[in-house]
Amino acid sequence: MQASVTPFDLPLLASSLAALSGVGPVTAKRLAARGIKTWGDGLFFLPARYQDRRTPTQVQALEEGRLAVVRGRVVSGGLLGKKGKVYRLFLEDATGRLACLWFRFKRAHLESFSPDDELFVVGEVSLGNKGEAQMIHPELYRAGDVGPDHPSVGRIVPVYPEVEGVGAGTVRRFMGELVQRSTELIFDPLPGLLPKDIYPMPAAEALSKAHQPNHDATPQDLDPDQAAWRQTLAMNELLYFELGLVLKRRGREASPAQALDPPGKLLAGLLAALPFSLTPGQQEAVGLIQGDLARSHPMGRLLCGDVGTGKTVVAAAAACLAVEAGAQVAVMAPTEVLARQHLATLSRYLEPLGVSVALAVGGGNGADQAARLAAAQGGAQALVGTHALLGQKLSFANLGLVIIDEQHRFGVHQRLALAAKAKSPHLLVLSATPIPRTLALALAGHLEISDLPERPQGPHKVGTMALEFEHRKAAVDELSAVLGRGEQAYVICPLVEASDKIEAQDAVATARNLARYFPDQRVELLHGRMEGPEQQEVLGRFRSGESRVLVATTVVEVGVDVPEATLMIVLGAERFGLSQLHQLRGRVGRGVKRGRCILVAGPNPGDLAQQRLAVLAKTVDGREIAEADLHLRGPGEAMGERQSGLPPFKVARWERDARQVPRLREIIAVWLKEDPELAGEKLAPVKKEAIRRWGRRLGLAEAG
Ligand code: ADP
Ligand code: MG
């Protein structure tokens, strides 16, 4: 595994926490189990809240239920009652008497306090039987030991999230040492370059305020959601990320690429052969792509369009341009099913124009592999495939354009691997919209975005209904009705096979049950663990109508086009992202008949499920749905942490900080205007840091 990058340019932050006093091997291990291993990790293990222990409260003024510090003199102490299970210490100040009680205690320790000893006690105030103030299991400190730097008294004390097996006091102590030994060494070039409201203080100060609030901290400083230190740390992360994206884009714009600027005969041929004319959105996209390809720098374009907006034709148009200019085109799809669907469509468009199209999917025997290789090395002008296109052995004769149909399944890494197959191929990424605007900016920060706003056949209306688990029988009734009319249906399950851990409907059992329930209908099963050829056979029988019900996992999410399929039932629907469900239902009602989608929640759907599924019943707008999901669940869950491709930020939260990103971008744009190479005294360190943090992950040339 690649060593992780320290959060700031300070090698010391890669040190193990075990190097701090008070962190023995056992504590280190327990911290590591929480992912807290290095000093850098420790600095970003931030307090969840704070306790205000600045000033002692007089006994008379104690309030029930609140944490308080009391300074007083011991009056008396001793075991209570006959059994001696409780130890009580009375403390007194000028205003009253406080009882401190222990149910678990080290007797010798408590007996070491004698009358007239001056103590500080810290604890939550409760009321005794007679309404007198008391504290149960308070912390005790001798007044003589409490100096100005005491970690627990006379200050605001951070409360860290609990770490199993590591005491709160231990955490506070070593974090104190960590902050003291490291923050001063953190160099931050950003203050002075960013306005105060964006970036209120240097990162070092932010970290030390987070862990050790000043004595004069305001309530806002002590709210980890509102504090200026949080703003600073979040912007520190976002700024470098955004700058990384800008550098990425500039790198691409500066690198040479094969200009693909043919007369356009193939494209004209393609358009002439289409049974329809392009929508305005498609026309615009094709025009932009044509312009991009003609330049001697690589295109980087993201084409966003909801299911059914006609992205494939646009991709075919791009392929025509590249091929006519003498280059090869690679088209990569997330699943073999989709790759084959693309192969069929693209062959239909391109082969009549004399363009050779070949398939490259994984597996197969030696002969298949040799065929792939031959195709790549010049035998085919367009190669359609899965991740097999990334195979080390596959080298292309003259790859000029890479088209990735991604349905948010490929991460940045895969994109880069394919892009590395040619010096700098032109890149076109297709995405079935549901990337919310705010996310699209982050995910595709280095790509130009084109939208296909309209569906050529008008909005795809699929009547959608959400059912609770107890009412699932209604879905079976509907299925029965659909089959009775001679139509077909999909039943989608979240899992292939039952698992003990996850209680969700599995495809294997569902297919078995439905086959039993509908003995005179052919029910078939399709899932990603089946071999490619077997999948093709199953799909073929469904397409031809030989089988009537297709029970499947999400392999059908994309690329299956069966006009007679009018019903989609999704089991365990809450387990899918809304956008994913939206894409799924786009599979039905593609013929003349209207489609219908029934979302059946699992037995324990959770609180949000109903609300989320209701969104789908209400709207057909993919973007609106994606925004709603983002809003309800945050980007990680809404899109799948890995699928979202979002970088793991430590402090920044996309849903709350994204609105500041446009300003960061403006600021970066101004920097670049003033100092295009970011080589000046002020900006060089910022550029260096962006490359240090993001160079490898974003594949920046400068990262070496
Ligand atoms: P998606 O964007 O989901 O990949 P497709 O490219 O599969 O959409 O197109 C969906 C359907 O719309 C296809 O059957 C395609 O032939 C058809 N189509 C595409 N563009 C147009 C158009 N301009 N007019 C009419 N039909 C179109
Ligand atoms: Mg498509």
Side-chain angles (χ1 to χ4, degrees), residues 59-360:
V59 172
Q60 199 181 38
L62 291 175
E63 283 175 49
E64 186 187 3
R66 296 191 68 151
L67 181 109
V69 179
V70 171
R71 181 182 179 138
R73 264 178 320 107
V74 175
V75 181
S76 63
L79 293 168
L80 263 191
K82 284 187 212 110
K83 291 189 186 148
K85 291 251 168 85
V86 180
Y87 196 96
R88 182 172 63 190
L89 201 64
F90 277 118
L91 220 68
E92 203 174 55
D93 70 3
T95 66
R97 202 167 75 158
L98 173 72
C100 300
L101 298 167
W102 286 266
F103 300 97
R104 283 169 281 114
F105 50 90
K106 285 202 186 101
R107 191 166 164 184
H109 173 64
L110 292 177
E111 282 179 349
S112 74
F113 300 102
S114 355
D116 283 341
D117 282 358
E118 287 275 335
L119 301 183
F120 281 99
V121 292
V122 186
E124 191 179 301
V125 179
S126 53
L127 296 183
N129 293 339
K130 294 175 201 136
E132 73 282 13
Q134 64 179 30
M135 285 183 184
I136 296 173
H137 293 161
E139 299 167 34
L140 279 186
Y141 306 97
R142 287 185 189 278
D145 296 340
V146 175
D149 283 333
H150 195 275
S152 304
V153 177
R155 62 163 58 211
I156 293 161
V157 169
V159 180
Y160 289 94
E162 216 168 302
V163 179
E164 212 181 313
V166 185
T170 306
V171 174
R172 236 178 264 145
R173 258 193 311 278
F174 78 73
M175 290 299 290
E177 183 186 338
L178 171 61
V179 169
Q180 228 152 41
R181 286 173 65 180
S182 63
T183 50
E184 274 182 9
L185 304 172
I186 292 172
F187 167 67
D188 184 355
L190 296 178
L193 289 169
L194 296 171
K196 279 258 182 196
D197 65 314
I198 290 262
Y199 203 73
M201 62 189 80
E205 188 183 331
L207 285 168
S208 94
K209 283 213 159 109
H211 291 285
Q212 302 180 332
N214 287 350
H215 207 72
D216 56 1
T218 63
Q220 194 198 343
D221 295 336
L222 299 181
D223 179 349
D225 281 334
Q226 306 296 327
W229 60 258
R230 198 210 84 91
Q231 164 76 10
T232 302
L233 297 176
M235 291 305 116
N236 185 288
E237 287 183 305
L238 290 181
L239 180 106
Y240 284 116
F241 177 59
E242 290 300 325
L243 185 56
L245 293 177
V246 168
L247 293 175
K248 170 95 188 150
R249 172 189 286 204
R250 288 211 325 169
R252 200 187 48 242
E253 280 165 2
S255 61
Q258 198 177 345
L260 305 173
D261 191 14
K265 276 194 219 131
L266 280 182
L267 176 56
L270 173 77
L271 298 180
L274 288 177
F276 48 75
S277 49
L278 297 185
T279 62
Q282 286 171 321
Q283 277 171 23
E284 188 188 328
V286 171
L288 288 170
I289 289 167
Q290 195 161 12
D292 289 346
L293 291 175
R295 300 192 323 146
S296 52
H297 301 295
M299 167 173 78
R301 188 165 289 280
L302 176 69
L303 181 64
C304 287
D306 209 342
V307 178
T309 47
K311 296 182 290 293
T312 318
V313 184
V314 176
C320 284
L321 291 165
V323 167
E324 188 181 337
Q328 283 176 296
V329 180
V331 181
M332 188 155 95
T335 63
E336 189 170 332
V337 168
L338 184 59
R340 286 180 189 274
Q341 178 100 10
H342 275 317
L343 179 77
T345 314
L346 290 175
S347 305
R348 208 173 62 230
Y349 286 141
L350 301 179
E351 276 175 354
L353 305 170
V355 177
S356 55
V357 185
L359 181 72

Side-chain angles (χ1 to χ4, degrees), residues 331 333-341 343 358-365 368-369 371-372 383-390 394 532-533 536:
V331 181
T335 63
E336 189 170 332
V337 168
L338 184 59
R340 286 180 189 274
Q341 178 100 10
L343 179 77
L359 181 72
V361 293
N365 54 26
D368 293 334
Q369 288 168 20
R372 278 207 292 276
L383 229 78
V384 186
T386 54
H387 53 275
L389 284 170
L390 299 176
L394 212 57
Q536 287 311 308

